Amino acid sequence: MAHNFLKTIRPRPIDLFVTHGIVSKLVEYLKMEEHPEMQYIACWVLTTVAFGNHEQTSAVVQAGAVDVLLHLFDSPVPRIVDQAIWCIGNISGDGPEMQKHLLSRGLVTKLVQMAQCQRKLASEHLSNIVWTLANLCENPEYPSTDMQSCLSVF
């Protein structure tokens, strides 16, 4: 008789990060500027969690990650900057509620300024910036002034 795997479904690892409070701890690790490797790993894991379902993405936002991630846009470590942009991009892809939250934090202005500062911008940063702005533009409530700012990046 074949084993029925549907009866033995275990929680997905991302669910465990959320239910065990690990997301909040990861947000704290993002603040550890004296340990850039820890910041990078925490940001990478949060990017993965934010790519999950709505509840998982919400857990990242509710843990206070957005403001810390926006602060990491100014990190001197390029891979941390790129990972922070990617995480914000995943959050922006969750839908209008998250997009509105990000817009209220001045995300568009920050991303457009980063894109225009090309001498210190890696190509992967630009790719993630464009992708994040495109996610934001999918929102029917997207302010037209922000849309105009994005055009120069696109």
Side-chain angles (χ1 to χ4, degrees):
M1 179 188 232
H3 182 67
N4 186 347
F5 287 103
L6 294 178
K7 291 183 180 180
T8 59
I9 294 176
R10 290 180 273 176
R12 293 179 24 191
I14 293 175
D15 291 333
L16 297 174
F17 277 79
V18 173
T19 60
H20 287 81
I22 297 170
V23 172
S24 296
K25 191 67 172 167
L26 291 167
V27 172
E28 291 303 312
Y29 292 154
L30 291 179
K31 299 174 187 176
M32 300 175 74
E33 293 180 5
E34 66 280 3
H35 299 288
E37 189 64 26
M38 181 67 75
Q39 283 182 301
Y40 174 74
I41 292 168
C43 196
W44 180 78
V45 174
L46 287 170
T47 300
T48 302
V49 175
F51 186 68
N53 62 36
H54 177 71
E55 290 76 25
Q56 294 159 345
T57 305
S58 294
V60 172
V61 172
Q62 291 168 1
V66 171
D67 290 333
V68 182
L69 289 164
L70 292 176
H71 177 73
L72 289 178
F73 284 10
D74 296 321
S75 171
V77 182
R79 70 186 198 145
I80 291 174
V81 175
D82 191 52
Q83 197 65 49
I85 295 168
W86 191 356
C87 189
I88 289 289
N90 282 352
I91 293 168
S92 72
D94 191 64
E97 178 186 328
M98 293 300 171
Q99 293 162 351
K100 188 174 183 177
H101 179 75
L102 294 170
L103 290 169
S104 74
R105 298 293 197 273
L107 177 62
V108 171
T109 300
K110 191 140 182 112
L111 289 174
V112 169
Q113 288 172 347
M114 288 176 76
Q116 292 171 344
C117 184
Q118 294 189 9
R119 45 176 204 271
K120 67 177 212 178
L121 187 67
S123 62
E124 60 269 9
H125 292 9
L126 186 57
S127 174
N128 279 333
I129 288 170
V130 169
W131 172 67
T132 300
L133 290 172
N135 281 345
L136 293 171
C137 289
E138 291 176 358
N139 185 341
E141 298 175 22
Y142 193 76
S144 62
T145 54
D146 284 342
M147 180 74 79
Q148 289 173 350
S149 299
C150 293
L151 292 176
S152 65
V153 176
F154 295 147

